[in-house]
Amino acid sequence: MTLLLALLLATVPPATEADAILKDFRFQTGERVPELRIHYRTLGKLAGNNAVLILHGTTGSGAQFMTEQFAGSLFGPGQLLDAEKHFIVLPDGIGHGKSSKPSDGMHARFPRYTYDDMVEAQYRLLQQVGVRHLRLVMGTSMGGMHSWVWGEAHPDFMDALLPLASLPVQIAGRNRVMRKMILDAIRDDPGYQGGDYKEQPRGLATAVDVVMLMGSAPLYWQAQAPTRDAADKFFDDARTRLAARYDANDVAYAFDASREYDPSPRLGQIQAPLMAVNSADDAINPPELGILEREIAKVPNGKAVVLPITARTRGHGTHSLPEVWKQYLADLLDRSRK
């Protein structure tokens, strides 16, 4: 399968990268910046109603979708989101990737953005590139939460919504506690120095540990590290890899951005057909809470599925494996066709 996906990825057109500059951007806090940079990638050409917006997760970027597993499963010739037939937009959210973020120089003086701010920036980006309507909005993890917000903030702007690995409620319980652990580990570290550190504070390592546990999948981790020594190496390698690409301010801001998220009171305003896909081994959105089943009933054209645990699922990270869930995307595209 890996060879096949690699061959399919080779047939996907290369992404074009650019920056959109949003003038006089006002955040929900009332803070303003004269220019907000939103980096983005596009594949294909805009033609009629063929635009697709795909949104990444916390600390990620649009680059994460240009992989064998994702692009190789969806963007190739004849696939569901064939880049020869669709105009695919992959933005880097505020505070992420190559978009404006604290580590650019403002540090902890960067505006405290929220998910509403991120969705507004995505909307303004689409206006700049000429998109007036979307065939589909989909997203993974934080991007899944953004998809719910999109459906409420701009209910007539899209034909369909596919939130992956997310819940449409205020972040509370274990999810909120883990996020607070990340924030406290960074900000309470004396080396943080109010965000003006010269080297990454030691608390970032603790934050990375929590991030790893949030996205963990017991079955998959056991298969990857079946012995004590293998587990130690698995942990050390993963921690080193994550720490190398993280900045403490960027991480803290990214997790803090979820503080105001709560689409549950307005789910009835979502007009487009929506398909929510979670997995049963997702530690961030555990199925035993019953939240998805309860809340999806409020969405007029909403459906939901919780994928069973299998050797193919990866816990929270199942969101980035279309081979596991793309049949639900196919069904959504069919029932939202106009």
Side-chain angles (χ1 to χ4, degrees), residues 123-189:
Y123 179 76
R124 289 180 58 176
L125 161 66
L126 293 176
Q127 299 296 299
Q128 284 202 19
V129 299
V131 174
R132 298 295 179 263
H133 192 82
L134 288 164
R135 176 68 182 92
L136 172 70
V137 177
M138 63 182 287
T140 62
S141 189
M142 177 183 71
M145 290 186 275
H146 288 179
S147 300
W148 296 100
V149 175
W150 258 99
E152 296 179 352
H154 305 285
D156 58 352
F157 199 81
M158 75 290 295
D159 293 341
L161 294 152
L162 184 79
L164 294 150
S166 64
L167 293 173
V169 296
Q170 184 181 76
I171 293 177
R174 185 175 63 177
N175 191 345
R176 175 59 189 175
V177 169
M178 290 188 290
R179 290 166 188 266
K180 193 171 189 307
M181 287 178 179
I182 292 168
L183 296 173
D184 289 352
I186 293 173
R187 293 173 175 171
D188 291 349
D189 186 332

Side-chain angles (χ1 to χ4, degrees), residues 46-74:
L46 182 61
N49 184 33
N50 74 334
V52 174
L53 178 66
I54 306 182
L55 306 169
H56 63 78
T58 306
T59 74
S61 74
Q64 71 188 56
F65 300 117
M66 297 303 298
T67 63
E68 293 176 15
Q69 290 76 18
F70 202 93
S73 292
L74 292 180

Side-chain angles (χ1 to χ4, degrees), residues 20-26 32-37 124 128:
I21 304 301
L22 309 183
K23 300 289 188 180
D24 190 28
F25 192 89
R26 183 181 185 277
R32 292 178 181 269
V33 293
E35 293 185 345
L36 182 72
R37 182 182 69 256
R124 289 180 58 176
Q128 284 202 19

Side-chain angles (χ1 to χ4, degrees), residues 33-308:
V33 293
E35 293 185 345
L36 182 72
R37 182 182 69 256
I38 297 297
H39 189 76
Y40 64 99
R41 296 161 180 81
T42 60
L43 292 88
K45 296 180 180 180
L46 182 61
N49 184 33
N50 74 334
V52 174
L53 178 66
I54 306 182
L55 306 169
H56 63 78
T58 306
T59 74
S61 74
Q64 71 188 56
F65 300 117
M66 297 303 298
T67 63
E68 293 176 15
Q69 290 76 18
F70 202 93
S73 292
L74 292 180
F75 301 163
Q79 294 178 334
L80 290 175
L81 302 178
D82 185 339
E84 294 294 337
K85 299 178 180 179
H86 295 86
F87 181 61
I88 301 168
V89 184
L90 310 172
D92 292 353
I94 299 173
H96 292 69
K98 298 178 183 178
S99 292
S100 294
K101 55 186 180 293
S103 61
D104 288 341
M106 292 186 70
H107 302 179
R109 291 172 291 279
F110 193 84
R112 288 183 67 203
Y113 61 88
T114 66
Y115 286 179
D116 288 333
D117 294 320
M118 299 177 84
V119 168
E120 176 61 19
Q122 294 155 9
Y123 179 76
R124 289 180 58 176
L125 161 66
L126 293 176
Q127 299 296 299
Q128 284 202 19
V129 299
V131 174
R132 298 295 179 263
H133 192 82
L134 288 164
R135 176 68 182 92
L136 172 70
V137 177
M138 63 182 287
T140 62
S141 189
M142 177 183 71
M145 290 186 275
H146 288 179
S147 300
W148 296 100
V149 175
W150 258 99
E152 296 179 352
H154 305 285
D156 58 352
F157 199 81
M158 75 290 295
D159 293 341
L161 294 152
L162 184 79
L164 294 150
S166 64
L167 293 173
V169 296
Q170 184 181 76
I171 293 177
R174 185 175 63 177
N175 191 345
R176 175 59 189 175
V177 169
M178 290 188 290
R179 290 166 188 266
K180 193 171 189 307
M181 287 178 179
I182 292 168
L183 296 173
D184 289 352
I186 293 173
R187 293 173 175 171
D188 291 349
D189 186 332
Y192 182 63
Q193 298 181 23
D196 289 325
Y197 45 84
K198 302 302 181 185
E199 58 184 31
Q200 298 298 327
R202 293 175 61 87
L204 180 60
T206 302
V208 167
D209 292 349
V210 179
V211 172
M212 289 177 59
L213 285 174
M214 289 180 77
S216 62
L219 188 64
Y220 177 66
W221 278 28
Q222 187 69 25
Q224 294 298 301
T227 67
R228 177 198 61 213
D229 292 344
D232 288 351
K233 185 177 188 304
F234 177 83
F235 168 65
D236 290 340
D237 289 349
R239 180 195 250 190
T240 299
R241 185 174 62 252
L242 287 174
R245 66 181 180 88
Y246 277 172
D247 172 81
N249 276 324
D250 291 347
V251 170
Y253 268 78
F255 279 96
D256 183 55
S258 65
R259 66 190 181 278
E260 302 291 342
Y261 172 74
D262 185 10
S264 59
R266 298 186 295 162
L267 290 174
Q269 298 178 18
I270 297 176
Q271 298 176 13
L274 180 149
M275 183 69 202
V277 180
N278 284 4
S279 55
D281 51 358
D282 185 347
I284 299 177
N285 306 295
E288 59 266 31
L289 298 179
I291 292 173
L292 185 59
E293 294 83 354
R294 182 190 73 212
E295 298 298 318
I296 198 65
K298 301 176 183 177
V299 182
N301 295 299
K303 294 184 179 182
V305 63
V306 177
L307 303 171

